[in-house]
Every structure is written in C-alpha cells, then in structure tokens.
Amino acid sequence: MAPHRPEISDPDLLQQAIDELASIFYIIKPDGSLYWWNDRLADVTGYSERELADMKAMEFVPESERELLRDAIEQTLESGQIRIETYLETATGSQYPYELTGKRLSSSERDFVGLVGTGRDISNRHYEKSVQDIQTPIQSATKAGAISTWNWYIPIDRFVADAEFAQLFGIDPEKARHGIPLDDVTARIHEDDIEEIREAINTAMNNCGSYEKEYRVRDQNDDVRWVMARGEVRCNDDGDPVQFSGALTDITAQKQYEQQLEAQRDDLQLLNQVLRHDIRNEIQLVSAYADFLADNLPEEDENHEYAEIIKNSAIRAVDLTETARDMADTMLSTTEEATELHLPSVLDQVIDNLRAAYSNAVIQTESGVPDIHVKSSDMLDSVFRNLISNAIEHNDKEIPRVSISTEYSDNTVLVKVADNGPGIPDDCKETIFERG
C-alpha cells in the first residue's frame, strides 16, 4: 500500500505553517472577496486584518491591471487553474511585480466554492529583464565604447547594475548584480558633484522624464573617473515613479583631452598677450621718433614725407595688434555664443578711429545705418576695420574715398564697403576669398 501524508489535526499548526510561507497565500470567494489569507499578505500590502476582511481581489492591483486579473479569475473557472504576472499595489500606493497563481476549489458536489492561490515577489526577475532590455539596443556600443547599464527599482530602492558599472563606481559586482540601495551608489560620486546629481535625479522622478548628466565618480582604486549618464524614469498610471533605467559611458579620456586643450589655450593666450605687449612698446618707440623727425624737419625736406610714412605705418601696426588680439580671443574661446551688438555704435566707432588714422581719406555712410542690434562675435569691429583700412591702403587715388551702405530685410542686414580704388586683381581673388 502506497504511503500517504498524515492528516494535520491541529488547525493552529496548519495556520502557523502557512503564515511562515515566504509567499502570499489566499483563498478568494466566488464574489471576489477574501475568505482567508496568511500573515504575509498583511506584511507586504500594509493593510490591517480588519481592512483585509472587507477587501476584494481587484483592490490589490493597479487599475490598469484589473482587467487582466478579472480575465484570470474567469479563466480559472473554466480551466481550473491560472498563473499570471502583474503588479501588487500596497496601502501606500507602491507597486511590486508579483506572480499570482490560482486554482479552483470545489465542494464535494463539484460546485465552485472559491479560488486558492499564492503570490510570489518576482522583482529580481524584472530587474534582470530590465537590464537585458537596456543592454540589447546598445550591445554593439558596449563592446566598442565601455558603456554600462543600470536599473533602479524605485519603490523598494533596489539598484541593479552590470559589472562595468560596478567597476566604475568601485562597487562589488556581485552585490550590484543582485541590487543595492541607491545611497550605496551615490556615495561613490565626487563630493563636488553629488548635490547636483541628486537634484537631477529628483527632477527626472518628479517629471517622469529623461536624465542626462556628466559627473565624477571614484572607481575601485579610488581614482576619479568622468562619466556621462543618460536615463529615463518610468511612472505608473498614478504618476508615481517606479523604475529608473539608463546607460553610463566612461568619458575620462575625453575629459583629459579637453583639459589638455584648455591648458594649451591658456598658454597661447598668455603668449599672445606678451607678444602684443612687447610689439606695441617697440611701435610706440618708432612712432615717437617719427613724430620727432616730422616736427623738426621742414616740410620741403624730402625726408619729412618719409617721417610721415613711418608715423602712419606705426599707427597701422598698432591696429594690426588689436586685430590679432580680437582674432586670438575668438579662436581660443571655448564658447561659440554670439553677442548682441548695436550695429550703428560699432560702425561709428570704427569709422571715427579710421578717420583719425587716415586724415587724407574720405569715409562716408550712405542713407544712414539702421538702428538695430545684430548677433555676432566680438570680432565684428575688426572685420569692419580691416575692410575699410584695406580699401584706403590699397587705393591708388590721391584722395581715397570709401562708401559704406546697408540693406536690411527679413531680419538680415547686409553691410557693403565700396571704394574708388583699383579693386582686387582677378588673379588674386580666388586666393584671397579662399582664405576667408
């Protein structure tokens, strides 16, 4: 005769055994209300025994999942048993992924009298799937560019990450694979960056939106590494954040290269300042001697004309150092943002300075300059200064004449500089304009 299980005559022993289960245990009446449950249901959901006694099965899942549960119960009536994956919603509104099973309970007459089942937390399975979902679209990039992934399940504060992420943050890879609190991760962020990162995370959670930040972390050797993090927060139907997934890229090499370029820019800036300072000092000395010669030589002396030429050349040389300064500032600038400049003021200042430098030239504007602001770099005055001074210096007429006109339409202004000189030879145009 085959052995059989002994009957448990002590109901308290049976109750205690079911209460010790790691899974939720429940019996549901035909109307969907609870008939019996173990302590685990109260522990997980946070409802009191009195509250549970008045609840129906549909109240334990989010509204978006209730149709699924209703269909599952109906299917149990037909097939006798069912197994589904859904979310269990607690008294505080938190949601956890659960696998629910159900089996039909029948009386001796085979009438349906209820449904018995269990609920098992499958958070770990969801974490692994989430990490896999993140890795799949960037698998090729991971092989080429040291990209790592993470998934933070927000309601239970479990942060899961791959081995590459753990290495960058100096975290035990095995612990990261199974999940750790977010605070264990943020503790590895550089102290100068942590507050900004916390604020960015909170913003993404509040907005159920995206996240993108560059910051520093300390790796397993406690060395500082730069990372770029991009992620997305997923919320439930009530707008509560439930999952934060993303990818991380090690950009340390890029940051080191940027710092090297920054140092080189600083060195070039200093060299430019020193050279301009020394050149201007020498030019001032030349200009002073030229003034002395011009003042002490009679105008009929042929050397008086040479002294005037030296004076004018010295003035133009000073202008060249200013142009060099403007070009260096623009070329070595780390930003590309245009500045709003008042066009009439810029042109008037340039024209006034050039009239003083070239007293024998006539510089005039036609029909006035429109009273507008334009977006440009700080080199705009250098552009105008070069155009007008070149029109004067390369003019073969006794009295160089330069005319400046403007055309304004469709939020665009065109500034034209014309002169009475010979113009640019055809064989030189391609070379000049190719240089920009």
Side-chain angles (χ1 to χ4, degrees):
M1 185 174 180
H4 64 279
R5 291 175 298 175
E7 294 184 1
I8 300 177
S9 58
D10 186 353
D12 292 336
L13 179 61
L14 182 60
Q15 174 77 50
Q16 182 180 352
I18 294 177
D19 283 338
E20 291 298 324
L21 290 175
S23 298
I24 294 172
F25 182 87
Y26 47 81
I27 298 176
I28 301 175
K29 298 178 184 179
D31 64 357
S33 61
L34 286 176
Y35 173 75
W36 198 83
W37 58 91
N38 65 350
D39 290 345
R40 185 64 178 161
L41 179 62
D43 294 340
V44 170
T45 62
Y47 289 109
S48 67
E49 294 290 329
R50 184 182 297 275
E51 290 172 322
L52 289 173
D54 296 328
M55 294 181 68
K56 292 182 179 291
M58 296 300 170
E59 297 178 71
F60 292 97
V61 298
E63 188 173 348
S64 60
E65 299 286 306
R66 290 178 183 176
E67 184 176 353
L68 171 66
L69 183 58
R70 187 180 298 108
D71 292 344
I73 293 175
E74 291 177 359
Q75 187 173 342
T76 304
L77 293 175
E78 297 174 2
S79 64
Q81 62 182 28
I82 194 64
R83 183 188 303 270
I84 64 170
E85 290 186 10
T86 184
Y87 283 89
L88 193 70
E89 189 168 69
T90 70
T92 60
S94 299
Q95 297 177 11
Y96 303 93
Y98 258 72
E99 179 186 75
L100 303 180
T101 65
K103 191 167 185 178
R104 175 175 174 158
L105 283 178
S106 302
S107 66
S108 57
E109 289 79 19
R110 314 302 293 176
D111 294 330
F112 175 65
V113 296
L115 182 152
V116 63
T118 61
R120 182 166 64 92
D121 187 343
I122 56 172
S123 296
N124 282 339
R125 187 191 304 174
H126 272 231
Y127 300 147
E128 293 171 2
K129 183 178 184 301
S130 297
V131 172
Q132 183 179 2
D133 290 344
I134 300 167
Q135 289 174 334
T136 300
I138 59 173
Q139 186 174 10
S140 59
T142 303
K143 294 178 180 178
I147 297 179
S148 55
T149 58
W150 84 80
N151 182 58
W152 179 34
Y153 193 70
I154 300 170
I156 57 175
D157 188 22
R158 186 174 295 180
F159 192 101
V160 177
D162 58 21
E164 288 78 9
F165 186 103
Q167 184 177 7
L168 274 173
F169 276 71
I171 299 170
D172 183 345
E174 190 65 18
K175 290 182 179 179
R177 187 173 72 85
H178 289 289
I180 57 178
L182 178 66
D183 285 347
D184 290 357
V185 179
T186 56
R188 304 297 300 172
I189 297 177
H190 194 279
E191 56 271 15
D192 292 339
D193 299 336
I194 181 61
E195 291 304 323
E196 182 179 348
I197 298 307
R198 283 175 177 155
E199 183 178 346
I201 292 174
N202 288 334
T203 299
M205 291 172 59
N206 292 335
N207 298 332
C208 298
S210 59
Y211 164 91
E212 181 173 329
K213 294 299 291 184
E214 291 183 4
Y215 57 92
R216 290 161 290 179
V217 300
R218 297 191 182 278
D219 64 13
Q220 56 189 353
N221 299 320
D222 213 32
D223 294 329
V224 175
R225 309 288 298 179
W226 275 94
V227 296
M228 162 64 81
R230 295 183 177 91
E232 190 81 24
V233 173
R234 183 177 67 84
C235 293
N236 59 20
D237 292 341
D238 295 328
D240 299 320
V242 294
Q243 187 172 322
F244 185 14
S245 305
L248 190 83
T249 308
D250 185 349
I251 59 170
T252 305
Q254 173 188 330
K255 282 294 182 180
Q256 290 173 343
Y257 180 65
E258 291 175 358
Q259 290 169 359
Q260 181 182 355
L261 288 180
E262 183 69 28
Q264 291 176 348
R265 278 194 294 265
D266 291 342
D267 292 342
L268 288 173
Q269 188 75 34
L270 178 60
L271 177 62
N272 175 50
Q273 292 174 355
V274 171
L275 285 177
R276 285 190 294 104
H277 177 268
D278 292 347
I279 291 173
R280 288 173 69 92
N281 285 343
E282 296 299 323
I283 292 175
Q284 287 176 356
L285 184 62
V286 171
S287 181
Y289 278 112
D291 284 338
F292 176 79
L293 290 174
D295 292 341
N296 289 277
L297 288 172
E299 290 188 6
E300 60 273 11
D301 191 323
E302 63 178 8
N303 292 321
H304 185 279
E305 181 182 354
Y306 298 147
E308 291 293 337
I309 293 175
I310 295 173
K311 282 178 56 179
N312 292 333
S313 296
I315 293 173
R316 289 193 293 271
V318 171
D319 289 340
L320 287 175
T321 63
E322 294 177 356
T323 301
R325 176 203 61 200
D326 295 339
M327 292 181 64
D329 289 345
T330 299
M331 294 171 66
L332 297 176
S333 174
T334 57
T335 61
E336 298 181 358
E337 294 184 0
T339 304
E340 282 204 359
L341 301 173
H342 186 229
L343 182 61
S345 299
V346 174
L347 270 175
D348 288 345
Q349 183 66 43
V350 171
I351 292 172
D352 289 344
N353 291 340
L354 290 177
R355 281 173 175 164
Y358 300 97
S359 57
N360 64 321
V362 176
I363 307 172
Q364 60 187 18
T365 56
E366 296 183 3
S367 67
V369 180
D371 187 18
I372 58 173
H373 286 79
V374 295
K375 287 188 175 181
S376 174
S377 72
D378 293 334
M379 281 192 65
L380 184 60
D381 58 343
S382 296
V383 172
F384 291 144
R385 183 168 59 246
N386 286 335
L387 283 173
I388 300 172
S389 61
N390 284 337
I392 296 172
E393 292 177 10
H394 300 287
N395 198 306
D396 56 358
K397 300 296 189 295
E398 182 177 353
I399 300 179
R401 295 182 179 274
V402 180
S403 175
I404 302 165
S405 60
T406 57
E407 296 179 6
Y408 179 58
S409 63
D410 298 329
N411 293 325
T412 302
V413 61
L414 175 65
V415 180
K416 297 181 179 180
V417 178
D419 62 81
N420 62 341
I424 301 173
D426 292 338
D427 57 349
C428 296
K429 289 180 180 178
E430 183 177 353
T431 301
I432 292 174
F433 294 121
E434 189 177 88
R435 293 176 182 174

